[in-house]
Amino acid sequence: MTQRGTLGVAVIGTGRMGADHVRRIDEVISGARVAAVVDLDAERAKRLADGIEGCTAYSDAAAAMAADDVDAVLIASPGPAHEADLLTAFAHDLPVLCEKPLTPDAASALRVLQAEQKLGHRRVQVGFMRRYDAEYMKLKALLDGGSLGRPLMLHNRHRNASSPPGFTSANLINDSVVHEMDVTRWLLDQEITAVTVLRPRPSSNAPEGLADPQFVIFETDGGALVDVEMNVNTGFGYQVKAEAVCERGTARIGEEQSLVTETAGQWGGTIVQDFTERFADAYDREVQAWVDATRRGEVTGPSVWDGYAAAAVCEAGVRALTEGVRVEVEMIERPALYR
Amino acid sequence: MTQRGTLGVAVIGTGRMGADHVRRIDEVISGARVAAVVDLDAERAKRLADGIEGCTAYSDAAAAMAADDVDAVLIASPGPAHEADLLTAFAHDLPVLCEKPLTPDAASALRVLQAEQKLGHRRVQVGFMRRYDAEYMKLKALLDGGSLGRPLMLHNRHRNASSPPGFTSANLINDSVVHEMDVTRWLLDQEITAVTVLRPRPSSNAPEGLADPQFVIFETDGGALVDVEMNVNTGFGYQVKAEAVCERGTARIGEEQSLVTETAGQWGGTIVQDFTERFADAYDREVQAWVDATRRGEVTGPSVWDGYAAAAVCEAGVRALTEGVRVEVEMIERPALYR
Amino acid sequence: MTQRGTLGVAVIGTGRMGADHVRRIDEVISGARVAAVVDLDAERAKRLADGIEGCTAYSDAAAAMAADDVDAVLIASPGPAHEADLLTAFAHDLPVLCEKPLTPDAASALRVLQAEQKLGHRRVQVGFMRRYDAEYMKLKALLDGGSLGRPLMLHNRHRNASSPPGFTSANLINDSVVHEMDVTRWLLDQEITAVTVLRPRPSSNAPEGLADPQFVIFETDGGALVDVEMNVNTGFGYQVKAEAVCERGTARIGEEQSLVTETAGQWGGTIVQDFTERFADAYDREVQAWVDATRRGEVTGPSVWDGYAAAAVCEAGVRALTEGVRVEVEMIERPALYR
Amino acid sequence: MTQRGTLGVAVIGTGRMGADHVRRIDEVISGARVAAVVDLDAERAKRLADGIEGCTAYSDAAAAMAADDVDAVLIASPGPAHEADLLTAFAHDLPVLCEKPLTPDAASALRVLQAEQKLGHRRVQVGFMRRYDAEYMKLKALLDGGSLGRPLMLHNRHRNASSPPGFTSANLINDSVVHEMDVTRWLLDQEITAVTVLRPRPSSNAPEGLADPQFVIFETDGGALVDVEMNVNTGFGYQVKAEAVCERGTARIGEEQSLVTETAGQWGGTIVQDFTERFADAYDREVQAWVDATRRGEVTGPSVWDGYAAAAVCEAGVRALTEGVRVEVEMIERPALYR
């Protein structure tokens, strides 16, 4: 790649994810710099900006997006603020990396989709970062290569050491299983048509009233069956595993075996404790891919359509959880822009 | 164990399983001998008996069971013949190892159950041989030990290289998933209360009309959720795997790694091709355990109750498959003899 | 196999190994029974014999071997007594399973070799039981099959949790590495021509004065290089691993992965604590193979030549350890009887 | 890290490694840019420079190092040119990342060492990139943590699919085993005191006359014993593995298990084919660490002392290979600058 000038990025939102992206762009990513940080808390934004050469603090996203030295926007604000920020970015025709969820529900996601269609070209990459994980990328390449034949089933394990305070039964669907929704659609290149949520007797590790674990089943328009063990209070660590069962073989990812010890009557290794450890490289690769594509004048990666589809499947999932029945997913037809 | 005389065993049925048991008792098992072989095909029985010192051929099971040198009976005849053979054995109060299924349906299994109850003591060990597999035994011991806490979910994979001619969609439940039914009940020490069968689009390896693979879900009276990938035309081999997900950890079996090679750009090992290879040791251990217990005057292992329960769950499973709905399992209350 | 009468076995020596073989023949092995037990301690022999129907206690091995109901001999007495017991067995032309070592040194092993040659046919199977371990058997079959090409190197790990009281630096060679000597000769079908013993700084787990661990190197007449990590105070368990590095690939055994758990930040499994756990099946298979071959009138398995070769390599090994130099192995030419 | 201006790097040498570093700094590394490329072949340098904004081509390293926009130097020229380039860099007091080997022999390495001492502060990071591999880093951290106790032995496997044309028996030591020399010194924090090279009968894959494989043994001043299987014509792929055997346990790295498939009677995964695939991340991390440290005004990583020590051990290794004997390593005492 030839050097075409360093990309000036405005990072909107400076919570855990936003602050981490600021650090990433400042220290890890090639070809980009943090030109602006935006937070409603002006003090917080200023403290962050002060540590970075040529970086301006804003408390108003629109002002940041209007600045001359801002070439692109990374949205890491809370979900409910995404729609407004995206529309402002469209108004400036700025390239966007938008953290998931695109928006909190299917209706608002659909409005963003229609706004981007009106713009006439893709501007948004949605932050489904598992697509940038080295193991998922290998699995995707293997499935696409076709040597294993058509996928029949996809088994997923998604485990957290513990759930954050206030995490609800619906959060398991909207915040956690949403990753498997995107992974399913991307790996299989199929849409999800129905969701069922089964509830074993909750773990005694789970807070009172939380339906944890859940066992979630997707059906797809290609006839594949997908199951997800969603388990957010395992106590022992963070794990993401997937196994594709195809007509001529299986393929699985997610067993970490990089350092094996033998000691005190035990062989084995450690289990990572959270997603930042498991997916650090994927986040780096995601943002680098966005910077590279943006500097080439392209938009790649998960689209607004993917964000909308995830929102639609989430809505079906939450209903399936609440009502205890199989729920069909309702979506509009896929617009030409996203084919 | 002290030597208390060699056990004279009558083997009823000399098909694949029966002939294999004859060989096993003759060459592998300590403390037993084949005293009689029974087959409707008298010639076949005679050929087999001729190779074994002191072994008599019969075409009538009742005659064999009446013989003086027969101390115990191994039933390996076709399932529909089991009920009559079991009742005859009860009449002679002979210890029995009965190949699965106990009988072909819940009603006949219930009659056998009632007959054994009338006898007043257990006489039958049912041939659910996975309980004698070294890996399953380790998993059972770990779960019983309690260090992992209560089991929340049990994931199972049951794969065959190819299905035999004439294998029907119901055979996947009755002949294959039946093993997971027993394993579930035994590992968890819980009864199965409902069955659901999901059908992804069939593999193109499967014969026309066969619902293969199937994804079967059990609910248990302890609140556990159990899933079974039943997949009988994988092409690549025979695999049985299980993973228990508990409150404080997981445990899994079924990954064979006894010989690992690195060659031609690949690391890994071979996959066995059928159950005789995977479970040879389990069959040996099952029969040896039966002989040992019988010589001690005891009855251990899977009981007629386990055979009846499997039949009841199978009936629910076939209905769930056929009707596409969740089906609750109907069973009598557990009699005192089997508690 | 047809039943040709049960083999009456005299077990000489009732220490740990002898008593275990008595139990094995009584409870596990098909086609054999314990007809006699022999121990200098007559009380001890009697206590053991009393528990077994038709078993006579002796304090004199020769008397036992002269008994009418003794068809074969299993020698599990201390090594220095083996030569006399073997010669007596030859006098009665009885089949023998002789625990390793054949005899304590190469000179006495050579005398036994010459005595068996005078007898004119093989009568002895030596107790190198690793040849009956399922994993080693797979490795042997793979190497013999030739798909990996010629073996270039063989890496071995041989680890014990702790050494028994009084274990000397020479015991590491004579009692432990002797297994790798036999495994090397058997797997590669080559003779060992030289031995070097390297001594890292001893582990602080090792008793004062014990050269532990040792790193032992064999050269073979086929140009292969073999290394052995001999490590008898690991603290963490018992492990035997081997990796053959061939011209077209590698193959390795010894990683136990039968039950994998994920708990408390760790994935992995347990390590067995001693050889009886690791090689229980190999011992069973060894004795069953000896009984089966004996009943067929054959002698198979490791021969007196193998016992002699091990003794010769051990002598070179101890000199290499003591003198800190590479020592060439001295052996007679292989007699026709053992080709 | 705060932004302190982008580091202008002159890359000297544009062969395979040099060109790859140019690409890396241009596309991957944060905080640096390629300010100059140097090659004796002026056309080649110009072609490379033309693709990069603000990059000047030179055919003279000294001229590049004198340029105003060059803040640091990455030396990727052939080994014999390193000494002159390093001395020029010292003259300009420029930070250097010098690809291995530091220089081709211990005498010239010693001259560089003395020159840097005269400079009075460290300026050079030597390109032993395995220290930046994620797995080696974990192993190092574990050993340093002390939970496994003192390392007794270190087993290494270093395998290539095939050796490049003209590769000599000494190249196996100087170009390949040199990595294990550095890894040994770094992991154990001990110096190597003697080298022995054993030569099994060469693989028939190896070109006529090449001593391949070799089995190399290091002794260290801490009493550890280190073995290296160096095997450059395996045919099947590229592998680097290490196992530390310590007083209280073992730890091993190098088994890649990121994607496991089950197909056609085989389970397993692919083996990478060369070092660029295995160590791509390590190279990225190495250069980023150098850029980050340089921008902070620090020098970290492998030092000129490490480069000198590797050269001294290589010389002993080549003598051990040629003369077939154990050779002691000769080194000066470690200067204060490198303690």
Side-chain angles (χ1 to χ4, degrees):
Chain A
M1 192 184 77
T2 59
Q3 196 93 9
R4 313 177 191 198
T6 299
L7 195 73
V9 178
V11 177
I12 302 177
T14 63
R16 181 177 179 186
M17 286 305 302
D20 194 47
H21 281 309
V22 166
R23 177 202 56 77
R24 177 170 290 111
I25 294 170
D26 191 30
E27 298 179 15
V28 179
I29 300 301
S30 174
R33 68 180 198 89
V34 184
V37 293
V38 184
D39 205 294
L40 290 179
D41 178 343
E43 270 308 302
R44 182 178 168 81
K46 189 171 183 326
R47 274 198 308 276
L48 204 54
D50 279 354
I52 298 169
E53 192 179 312
C55 177
T56 310
Y58 295 84
S59 56
D60 173 30
M65 288 193 252
D68 272 356
D69 60 350
V70 167
D71 307 310
V73 184
L74 193 162
I75 299 178
S77 51
H82 286 191
E83 183 177 1
D85 291 340
L86 285 160
L87 297 179
T88 306
F90 290 166
H92 291 87
D93 203 16
L94 285 172
V96 182
L97 174 56
C98 180
E99 266 301 329
K100 65 130 199 136
L102 178 67
T103 66
D105 55 69
S108 52
L110 186 56
R111 288 194 296 270
V112 172
L113 185 90
Q114 288 161 341
E116 194 181 40
Q117 277 183 275
K118 192 174 295 172
L119 203 60
H121 48 248
R122 284 190 54 193
R123 268 299 177 219
V124 181
Q125 173 179 326
V126 178
F128 289 121
M129 92 295 170
R130 283 203 198 163
R131 300 191 186 193
Y132 296 92
D133 174 64
E135 295 197 9
Y136 272 111
M137 289 166 77
K138 282 187 197 174
L139 179 56
K140 171 70 170 163
L142 181 67
L143 295 180
D144 285 356
S147 60
L148 296 186
R150 181 167 53 84
L152 304 167
M153 286 176 283
L154 182 66
H155 306 303
N156 301 276
R157 310 278 166 266
H158 188 164
R159 296 167 182 160
N160 292 255
S162 62
S163 56
F167 211 68
T168 66
S169 298
N171 283 133
L172 268 80
I173 301 292
N174 285 328
D175 289 18
S176 300
V177 179
V178 65
H179 283 289
E180 274 74 23
M181 293 171 183
D182 184 63
V183 156
T184 294
R185 299 179 59 257
W186 172 65
L187 282 180
L188 304 186
D189 208 10
Q190 298 175 15
E191 294 294 348
I192 295 170
T193 54
V195 185
T196 307
V197 180
L198 301 175
R199 304 164 57 155
R201 187 173 142 206
S203 168
S204 59
N205 296 334
E208 183 70 27
L210 189 67
D212 171 38
Q214 296 176 17
F215 192 73
V216 182
I217 295 167
F218 305 143
E219 300 162 44
T220 75
D221 59 6
L225 196 70
V226 180
D227 59 280
V228 185
E229 175 201 318
M230 191 67 242
N231 198 346
V232 298
N233 287 285
T234 65
F236 63 79
Y238 180 81
Q239 294 182 319
V240 169
K241 308 187 190 191
E243 178 181 26
V245 180
C246 305
E247 292 187 320
R248 287 194 291 280
T250 76
R252 62 179 186 271
I253 59 172
E255 301 298 339
E256 298 213 43
Q257 309 217 352
S258 57
L259 176 68
V260 177
T261 59
E262 295 166 329
T263 182
Q266 292 277 339
W267 63 265
T270 56
I271 301 174
V272 302
Q273 291 304 304
D274 73 6
F275 73 96
T276 56
E277 203 176 345
R278 169 71 175 82
F279 287 116
D281 287 349
Y283 281 107
D284 290 353
R285 206 175 280 114
E286 173 194 52
V287 176
Q288 187 70 63
W290 175 64
V291 167
D292 291 349
T294 301
R295 293 174 79 204
R296 287 194 311 268
E298 299 174 8
V299 181
T300 59
S303 69
V304 169
W305 174 256
D306 296 312
Y308 162 71
V313 179
C314 277
E315 289 195 355
V318 172
R319 270 192 53 215
L321 167 72
T322 313
E323 303 176 14
V325 294
R326 173 181 177 275
V327 174
E328 298 196 356
V329 176
E330 290 179 23
M331 286 172 60
I332 65 162
E333 209 182 328
R334 189 169 183 144
L337 182 59
Y338 304 105
R339 269 172 216 152
Chain B
M1 192 185 74
T2 59
Q3 196 93 9
R4 313 178 193 197
T6 300
L7 195 73
V9 178
V11 177
I12 302 177
T14 62
R16 181 177 181 186
M17 285 306 301
D20 194 46
H21 281 310
V22 166
R23 177 202 58 76
R24 178 170 289 111
I25 294 171
D26 191 28
E27 299 180 13
V28 179
I29 300 302
S30 175
R33 68 179 199 90
V34 184
V37 293
V38 184
D39 205 294
L40 291 179
D41 178 342
E43 270 310 300
R44 184 179 167 81
K46 188 168 184 328
R47 274 197 308 275
L48 205 53
D50 281 353
I52 298 169
E53 193 180 310
C55 178
T56 309
Y58 296 83
S59 56
D60 173 29
M65 287 192 252
D68 272 357
D69 62 348
V70 167
D71 306 312
V73 184
L74 194 163
I75 298 178
S77 50
H82 286 190
E83 182 178 1
D85 291 338
L86 285 160
L87 297 180
T88 306
F90 290 166
H92 291 87
D93 203 16
L94 286 172
V96 181
L97 175 54
C98 180
E99 267 299 330
K100 66 127 197 140
L102 178 68
T103 65
D105 55 69
S108 51
L110 186 55
R111 287 193 298 268
V112 171
L113 186 90
Q114 289 162 339
E116 194 181 40
Q117 279 183 273
K118 193 174 296 172
L119 202 60
H121 48 247
R122 282 190 56 194
R123 268 298 178 219
V124 181
Q125 174 179 327
V126 178
F128 288 121
M129 91 295 169
R130 283 204 198 162
R131 300 192 186 193
Y132 297 91
D133 175 63
E135 296 196 8
Y136 272 111
M137 289 167 75
K138 282 188 196 173
L139 179 55
K140 171 69 171 165
L142 182 67
L143 295 179
D144 285 355
S147 61
L148 296 186
R150 181 167 52 85
L152 303 167
M153 287 176 282
L154 181 67
H155 306 304
N156 301 276
R157 310 278 168 267
H158 188 164
R159 296 166 182 159
N160 292 256
S162 63
S163 56
F167 212 68
T168 66
S169 298
N171 283 132
L172 268 82
I173 302 293
N174 286 327
D175 290 18
S176 301
V177 177
V178 66
H179 283 289
E180 274 74 23
M181 292 171 185
D182 185 63
V183 155
T184 293
R185 298 180 59 255
W186 173 65
L187 282 179
L188 304 185
D189 207 10
Q190 297 176 14
E191 295 294 346
I192 296 170
T193 53
V195 186
T196 306
V197 180
L198 301 174
R199 304 163 57 155
R201 187 173 143 206
S203 168
S204 59
N205 296 334
E208 183 70 27
L210 190 68
D212 171 38
Q214 297 176 16
F215 192 71
V216 182
I217 296 166
F218 305 142
E219 300 163 44
T220 75
D221 59 6
L225 197 69
V226 180
D227 58 281
V228 185
E229 176 201 319
M230 191 65 243
N231 198 345
V232 297
N233 286 285
T234 64
F236 63 78
Y238 180 82
Q239 294 182 320
V240 168
K241 308 187 189 190
E243 178 181 26
V245 180
C246 305
E247 290 187 322
R248 287 195 292 278
T250 76
R252 62 180 185 273
I253 59 171
E255 301 298 339
E256 299 212 44
Q257 307 214 354
S258 58
L259 176 68
V260 176
T261 60
E262 296 167 328
T263 181
Q266 292 278 337
W267 63 267
T270 57
I271 301 174
V272 300
Q273 292 303 304
D274 73 7
F275 73 96
T276 56
E277 203 176 344
R278 170 70 176 82
F279 286 116
D281 287 349
Y283 280 107
D284 290 352
R285 207 175 278 114
E286 173 194 50
V287 176
Q288 187 71 63
W290 176 64
V291 167
D292 292 349
T294 300
R295 293 176 78 202
R296 288 194 311 268
E298 299 175 9
V299 181
T300 59
S303 70
V304 168
W305 174 257
D306 296 313
Y308 162 72
V313 180
C314 276
E315 289 194 356
V318 172
R319 271 192 53 214
L321 168 72
T322 313
E323 302 175 14
V325 294
R326 173 181 177 278
V327 174
E328 299 197 355
V329 176
E330 290 178 25
M331 285 171 61
I332 65 163
E333 210 182 327
R334 189 170 183 141
L337 182 59
Y338 303 105
R339 266 173 216 149
Chain C
M1 195 185 72
T2 59
Q3 197 94 7
R4 311 177 193 196
T6 299
L7 195 73
V9 178
V11 176
I12 302 177
T14 62
R16 182 177 180 187
M17 286 306 303
D20 195 46
H21 280 309
V22 166
R23 178 202 56 77
R24 179 171 289 112
I25 294 171
D26 191 30
E27 299 180 12
V28 179
I29 300 301
S30 173
R33 66 180 200 89
V34 185
V37 294
V38 183
D39 205 295
L40 291 178
D41 179 343
E43 270 310 301
R44 184 178 166 81
K46 188 168 183 331
R47 275 197 308 277
L48 205 54
D50 280 354
I52 299 169
E53 193 180 312
C55 178
T56 310
Y58 295 85
S59 57
D60 173 30
M65 287 192 251
D68 271 357
D69 61 347
V70 167
D71 307 312
V73 184
L74 194 162
I75 298 178
S77 50
H82 285 191
E83 183 178 0
D85 290 340
L86 285 160
L87 296 180
T88 306
F90 289 167
H92 290 87
D93 203 17
L94 285 172
V96 181
L97 175 55
C98 181
E99 266 300 330
K100 64 125 198 143
L102 179 66
T103 65
D105 55 69
S108 52
L110 186 55
R111 288 193 297 270
V112 171
L113 185 89
Q114 288 162 340
E116 194 181 38
Q117 278 183 274
K118 194 173 296 173
L119 202 61
H121 48 246
R122 284 190 55 195
R123 269 299 176 218
V124 181
Q125 174 178 325
V126 179
F128 288 122
M129 92 295 171
R130 283 204 197 160
R131 300 192 187 193
Y132 298 92
D133 174 64
E135 294 196 9
Y136 271 111
M137 290 167 75
K138 282 187 197 174
L139 179 56
K140 171 70 171 163
L142 182 66
L143 295 179
D144 285 355
S147 61
L148 296 185
R150 181 167 53 85
L152 303 166
M153 286 176 283
L154 181 67
H155 306 304
N156 301 276
R157 311 277 166 267
H158 188 163
R159 296 166 182 160
N160 291 255
S162 62
S163 55
F167 212 67
T168 66
S169 298
N171 282 134
L172 268 81
I173 302 292
N174 285 328
D175 290 18
S176 299
V177 178
V178 65
H179 283 291
E180 274 74 24
M181 293 171 185
D182 185 64
V183 155
T184 293
R185 299 180 60 256
W186 172 65
L187 282 180
L188 305 185
D189 208 9
Q190 297 177 14
E191 294 295 347
I192 295 170
T193 54
V195 185
T196 305
V197 179
L198 301 174
R199 303 163 58 155
R201 187 173 143 205
S203 167
S204 58
N205 296 335
E208 182 70 26
L210 189 68
D212 171 40
Q214 296 176 16
F215 193 71
V216 182
I217 296 167
F218 306 143
E219 300 163 44
T220 74
D221 60 5
L225 197 70
V226 179
D227 58 280
V228 184
E229 175 201 321
M230 190 66 244
N231 199 345
V232 298
N233 287 285
T234 64
F236 63 78
Y238 180 82
Q239 294 182 321
V240 168
K241 308 187 190 191
E243 178 181 26
V245 180
C246 304
E247 291 187 321
R248 288 195 291 279
T250 76
R252 62 180 184 271
I253 58 172
E255 302 298 340
E256 299 212 45
Q257 309 215 353
S258 56
L259 176 68
V260 176
T261 59
E262 296 166 329
T263 181
Q266 293 277 337
W267 62 267
T270 57
I271 300 175
V272 301
Q273 291 303 303
D274 73 7
F275 72 97
T276 55
E277 202 176 345
R278 170 69 175 83
F279 286 117
D281 287 349
Y283 280 107
D284 290 352
R285 208 176 278 115
E286 174 195 49
V287 177
Q288 187 70 62
W290 175 65
V291 167
D292 291 350
T294 300
R295 293 175 79 202
R296 286 193 314 266
E298 297 174 9
V299 180
T300 59
S303 69
V304 169
W305 174 257
D306 296 314
Y308 162 72
V313 180
C314 276
E315 289 194 357
V318 172
R319 272 192 52 213
L321 168 72
T322 313
E323 303 175 15
V325 294
R326 173 181 177 276
V327 175
E328 299 198 354
V329 176
E330 290 177 26
M331 284 171 62
I332 65 163
E333 210 182 327
R334 188 170 183 142
L337 182 59
Y338 304 105
R339 266 173 217 150
Chain D
M1 194 185 72
T2 59
Q3 196 95 6
R4 310 179 193 197
T6 300
L7 194 73
V9 179
V11 177
I12 302 178
T14 62
R16 182 177 180 187
M17 286 305 303
D20 193 47
H21 281 309
V22 167
R23 177 202 57 77
R24 177 170 290 111
I25 295 170
D26 191 28
E27 299 180 13
V28 179
I29 301 300
S30 174
R33 67 179 200 89
V34 185
V37 293
V38 184
D39 204 295
L40 290 179
D41 178 343
E43 270 309 300
R44 182 177 168 82
K46 188 169 184 327
R47 273 198 309 276
L48 205 52
D50 280 354
I52 298 169
E53 193 179 313
C55 176
T56 311
Y58 296 84
S59 56
D60 173 30
M65 288 193 251
D68 272 357
D69 60 349
V70 167
D71 307 311
V73 184
L74 193 163
I75 299 179
S77 50
H82 286 190
E83 183 177 0
D85 291 341
L86 285 161
L87 296 180
T88 306
F90 290 166
H92 291 88
D93 204 15
L94 285 172
V96 181
L97 174 56
C98 180
E99 266 300 330
K100 64 125 199 143
L102 178 68
T103 66
D105 54 69
S108 52
L110 186 56
R111 288 194 295 270
V112 172
L113 186 89
Q114 290 163 339
E116 194 180 39
Q117 278 184 274
K118 193 174 295 175
L119 203 60
H121 48 246
R122 284 190 55 194
R123 268 299 178 218
V124 181
Q125 174 179 326
V126 179
F128 289 121
M129 92 293 172
R130 283 205 198 160
R131 300 191 186 193
Y132 298 92
D133 174 63
E135 295 196 8
Y136 272 111
M137 290 167 75
K138 281 187 197 174
L139 179 56
K140 171 71 170 162
L142 181 66
L143 294 179
D144 285 355
S147 60
L148 296 186
R150 180 168 53 85
L152 303 167
M153 286 176 282
L154 181 66
H155 306 303
N156 301 276
R157 310 278 166 267
H158 188 164
R159 296 167 182 159
N160 291 255
S162 62
S163 56
F167 211 68
T168 67
S169 299
N171 283 133
L172 268 81
I173 302 293
N174 285 328
D175 289 18
S176 300
V177 178
V178 66
H179 283 289
E180 272 76 24
M181 292 171 185
D182 184 63
V183 156
T184 293
R185 299 179 59 256
W186 173 65
L187 283 180
L188 304 186
D189 208 8
Q190 298 176 15
E191 293 295 348
I192 295 170
T193 54
V195 185
T196 306
V197 180
L198 300 174
R199 303 163 58 154
R201 187 173 143 206
S203 167
S204 59
N205 295 335
E208 182 68 27
L210 190 68
D212 172 39
Q214 296 176 17
F215 193 72
V216 182
I217 296 167
F218 305 144
E219 300 162 45
T220 75
D221 59 5
L225 196 70
V226 180
D227 60 278
V228 184
E229 175 201 318
M230 191 67 243
N231 198 345
V232 297
N233 287 285
T234 64
F236 63 76
Y238 181 81
Q239 293 182 321
V240 169
K241 308 187 189 189
E243 178 181 26
V245 179
C246 304
E247 292 187 319
R248 287 195 292 278
T250 76
R252 62 179 186 271
I253 58 172
E255 302 297 339
E256 299 212 44
Q257 308 216 355
S258 56
L259 176 67
V260 176
T261 59
E262 296 167 328
T263 181
Q266 292 277 338
W267 63 267
T270 56
I271 301 174
V272 302
Q273 292 302 304
D274 72 7
F275 73 96
T276 54
E277 202 176 346
R278 169 71 176 82
F279 287 117
D281 287 348
Y283 280 106
D284 290 353
R285 208 175 278 115
E286 173 194 51
V287 176
Q288 186 71 61
W290 174 66
V291 167
D292 291 350
T294 300
R295 294 174 78 201
R296 287 193 312 267
E298 298 174 10
V299 181
T300 59
S303 70
V304 168
W305 173 256
D306 296 313
Y308 162 72
V313 179
C314 277
E315 288 194 357
V318 171
R319 272 192 53 214
L321 167 72
T322 313
E323 303 175 15
V325 294
R326 171 179 178 277
V327 175
E328 298 198 355
V329 176
E330 290 177 26
M331 286 173 60
I332 66 163
E333 210 182 328
R334 189 170 184 142
L337 183 58
Y338 304 105
R339 266 171 217 153

